[in-house]
Amino acid sequence: MSDIGLHTLKGSAIEPRLDELAHLRITVFRDYPYLYDGSFAYEADYLRRYAECPESLFVLAEDGDALVGAATGMPLAKDVAEFRAPFEQAGFDVKSVFYYGESVLLPSYRGRGIGKAFLAKRERHAAERGFTTVAFCAVERPDDHPLKPAGYVPLHGFWRSQGYERHPELATTFRWKDIGEPTETDKPMVFWLKSLQ
């Protein structure tokens, strides 16, 4: 990782990099399992929520001047109802949870410890601000999905190795348009949690 710079920004400090981050999300999420046929307009609106939250965090991975990866997070209490609702229904204090928006990294930079660094920096940020739980959600595709690449291995093992636990009782759905599909459809999303206590 010695040739990759990691930089953190908070809240509105990300604004000069929002377009780059939007393009990176669209590029990475086109791959399985997300298969996201993204639009720049949606990305700009989505990322604006993070930029407008003073407590949000952006961890940027750069190769020279090129943005090759990014990880985001914000207090769950400040995020949209679709993310909060499963926690509220399960009796969680959403004010105690720091939510990770995404980790995106170009394929050629994977396997070099950047993903671990993304998690560690967000955990530290959350712990320093008194959050007791960190969480993220991930799409779940059927095992026989026709676009599943041969040899595909989900990230479950990596997440577990970093102390995260899958919580199938905390689930939601989100709509987006898959590559090659005419309309948006609901996708099942399951949350993973780690206690910082």
Side-chain angles (χ1 to χ4, degrees), residues 104-115:
V104 288
L105 186 63
L106 294 176
S108 59
Y109 292 88
R110 295 172 191 168
R112 299 163 66 174
I114 298 171

Side-chain angles (χ1 to χ4, degrees), residues 1 103 105 109 111-120 122 158 162:
M1 225 182 86
S103 294
L105 186 63
Y109 292 88
R112 299 163 66 174
I114 298 171
K116 288 181 181 178
F118 281 166
L119 291 173
R122 287 181 294 183
F158 168 67
Q162 302 304 302

Side-chain angles (χ1 to χ4, degrees), residues 113-187:
I114 298 171
K116 288 181 181 178
F118 281 166
L119 291 173
K121 285 185 177 293
R122 287 181 294 183
E123 286 173 24
R124 190 175 311 117
H125 175 87
E128 288 171 352
R129 285 153 184 79
F131 293 94
T132 57
T133 303
V134 286
F136 63 88
C137 68
V139 68
E140 298 208 345
R141 298 283 190 175
D143 286 338
D144 61 351
H145 193 284
L147 296 181
K148 180 181 177 180
Y152 171 77
V153 178
L155 290 172
H156 294 190
F158 168 67
W159 294 331
R160 288 192 180 101
S161 76
Q162 302 304 302
Y164 290 80
E165 187 177 333
R166 182 177 175 273
H167 283 260
E169 77 282 8
L170 296 174
T172 189
T173 60
F174 285 92
R175 295 178 66 81
W176 67 80
K177 184 175 172 294
D178 277 0
I179 295 168
E181 296 295 324
T183 59
E184 294 183 348
T185 55
D186 287 334
K187 312 296 190 302

Side-chain angles (χ1 to χ4, degrees), residues 14-170:
I14 192 62
E15 294 207 13
R17 310 297 299 274
L18 283 181
D19 285 358
E20 289 174 272
L21 184 50
H23 285 296
L24 180 66
R25 274 178 46 91
I26 289 171
T27 298
V28 172
F29 283 142
R30 282 186 70 83
D31 291 341
Y32 189 87
Y34 284 89
L35 302 172
Y36 170 56
D37 189 4
S39 76
F40 189 78
Y42 172 85
E43 291 300 314
D45 184 60
Y46 167 83
L47 291 168
R48 177 67 45 198
R49 285 205 323 265
Y50 282 80
E52 291 175 351
C53 177
E55 298 95 348
S56 68
L57 179 71
F58 301 83
V59 186
L60 306 181
E62 296 169 304
D63 187 350
D65 293 329
L67 183 65
V68 300
T72 66
M74 70 186 302
L76 181 61
K78 301 289 181 72
D79 214 327
V80 295
E82 291 91 338
F83 290 113
R84 298 193 314 268
F87 290 84
E88 291 167 341
Q89 291 164 8
F92 274 82
D93 175 9
V94 295
K95 292 180 180 177
S96 71
V97 182
F98 190 76
Y99 178 72
Y100 299 165
E102 64 270 299
S103 294
V104 288
L105 186 63
L106 294 176
S108 59
Y109 292 88
R110 295 172 191 168
R112 299 163 66 174
I114 298 171
K116 288 181 181 178
F118 281 166
L119 291 173
K121 285 185 177 293
R122 287 181 294 183
E123 286 173 24
R124 190 175 311 117
H125 175 87
E128 288 171 352
R129 285 153 184 79
F131 293 94
T132 57
T133 303
V134 286
F136 63 88
C137 68
V139 68
E140 298 208 345
R141 298 283 190 175
D143 286 338
D144 61 351
H145 193 284
L147 296 181
K148 180 181 177 180
Y152 171 77
V153 178
L155 290 172
H156 294 190
F158 168 67
W159 294 331
R160 288 192 180 101
S161 76
Q162 302 304 302
Y164 290 80
E165 187 177 333
R166 182 177 175 273
H167 283 260
E169 77 282 8
L170 296 174

